[in-house]
Amino acid sequence: HEFGVRGNYLYVTSVKDHGLEIMDISDTGNPKHAGAFLENNQTFMKKPHSVIFKDNYAFVSSTEDNAIQVFDISNPTDPQPISYLKDDEKTGLKGVHGIAINGDYLYAAGTKDNALEVIDISNPNAIKHAAAVFDNEETSLKGPHSIAFKNNYIYILTAEEGLEVMDISDPVDPRHVSAYTENDHGHKFGGGHDIIISGNNIFTASYIDGLGFFDITNPIKIKSISEIHPSEENGLLSASDLALSGNNLFAVS
């Protein structure tokens, strides 16, 4: 489903195999299988979505298990499961999709919980719930999917409402700052899937509404710059993932 690169290795989440594929990419023209980890009775890896890294650890979000699974990857080709956090009555991990790390905290988009989950990962061997913000009358957190940071703010793209902005000066007490749900041209973020921040700009990809470009110089008042609506000609009928390289933006559709 998604992949992450650490050193000379590429880690790929496999939804149907419920596992991680590891490839040696030291020779980028000839990637080779280097290892794999499959779900077992000691892990929570059903339908893994995202994989991210901190130090010698990999964190994987599991959409079906509603969990974050942690691996020690000191040996990059032989991941060892060391801890996990599974959804319960306190957490917002149901249907977890996108995850991102800021300092000693991992932030997770609980898509089915309409929530932002905050996890203390200061001890990767025993990660723990730190806070959760569930959708309410003030926030726009229905179907959160992708997360990005800039300064003391977290930007959350949702599949049903738009872009939610929160102040995380206190990392375990995210506070709603603003929300951007629709611009004057009818861009609604339908099926919002991925966001990337570059400087004072944020780029969004949505299954239904295509690409959006926004100015976040002032997080309290986000400004629309432009958008590219999907068409058969531009290949954006189901825009999902984004990547930046220099002045070029790449979108997978």
Side-chain angles (χ1 to χ4, degrees):
H1 194 281
E2 291 189 1
F3 63 85
V5 175
R6 183 178 181 273
N8 289 324
Y9 295 94
L10 176 76
Y11 293 77
V12 185
T13 57
S14 172
V15 174
K16 291 188 177 180
D17 274 331
H18 306 298
L20 276 177
E21 166 66 18
I22 305 160
M23 305 190 79
D24 184 336
I25 55 171
S26 51
D27 178 359
T28 54
N30 185 30
K32 296 178 180 178
H33 168 78
F37 185 94
L38 300 177
E39 156 82 355
N40 58 45
N41 58 11
Q42 295 179 324
T43 59
F44 294 93
M45 287 278 289
K46 286 190 176 67
K47 290 191 178 177
H49 187 280
S50 300
V51 55
I52 57 177
F53 311 97
K54 183 180 181 184
D55 302 326
N56 287 324
Y57 302 96
F59 300 81
V60 179
S61 60
S62 168
T63 299
E64 187 171 308
D65 274 332
N66 308 313
I68 303 296
Q69 178 69 53
V70 188
F71 293 91
D72 183 331
I73 53 171
S74 300
N75 179 348
T77 63
D78 186 24
Q80 296 297 310
I82 57 171
S83 68
Y84 64 86
L85 182 68
K86 205 169 185 308
D87 189 54
D88 60 24
E89 67 278 0
K90 294 184 301 182
T91 64
L93 285 172
K94 193 172 292 181
V96 59
H97 277 62
I99 52 178
I101 291 173
N102 191 34
D104 285 333
Y105 295 92
L106 182 147
Y107 294 79
T111 303
K112 292 183 179 179
D113 263 336
N114 300 322
L116 175 69
E117 169 68 20
V118 186
I119 301 170
D120 183 339
I121 59 169
S122 55
N123 179 4
N125 290 284
I127 64 172
K128 58 186 179 181
H129 165 79
V133 180
F134 293 87
D135 188 52
N136 55 48
E137 293 180 358
E138 187 179 43
T139 63
S140 294
L141 279 174
K142 284 188 174 67
H145 200 284
S146 187
I147 296 169
F149 303 102
K150 182 175 174 60
N151 300 328
N152 288 324
Y153 297 94
I154 185 169
Y155 296 80
I156 307 154
L157 182 65
T158 74
E160 297 179 35
E161 287 195 299
L163 192 60
E164 168 69 22
V165 186
M166 292 186 171
D167 185 333
I168 53 170
S169 301
D170 180 349
V172 299
D173 187 21
R175 299 292 181 94
H176 168 79
V177 169
S178 64
Y180 196 106
T181 56
E182 181 180 2
N183 67 21
D184 294 338
H185 306 122
H187 191 88
K188 297 181 181 179
F189 306 94
H193 194 274
D194 196 19
I195 54 175
I196 289 182
I197 292 177
S198 177
N200 288 322
N201 297 313
I202 194 165
F203 307 91
T204 66
S206 305
Y207 283 141
I208 298 171
D209 286 310
L211 305 183
F213 309 89
F214 303 88
D215 183 336
I216 56 170
T217 303
N218 181 0
I220 299 173
K221 193 172 179 59
I222 296 175
K223 295 180 181 179
S224 172
I225 299 173
S226 63
E227 66 271 342
I228 302 176
H229 293 286
S231 69
E232 293 183 3
E233 290 75 23
N234 65 27
L236 292 174
L237 292 176
S238 32
S240 56
D241 294 302
L242 299 172
L244 276 171
S245 177
N247 291 324
N248 298 304
L249 177 71
F250 297 85
V252 176
S253 179

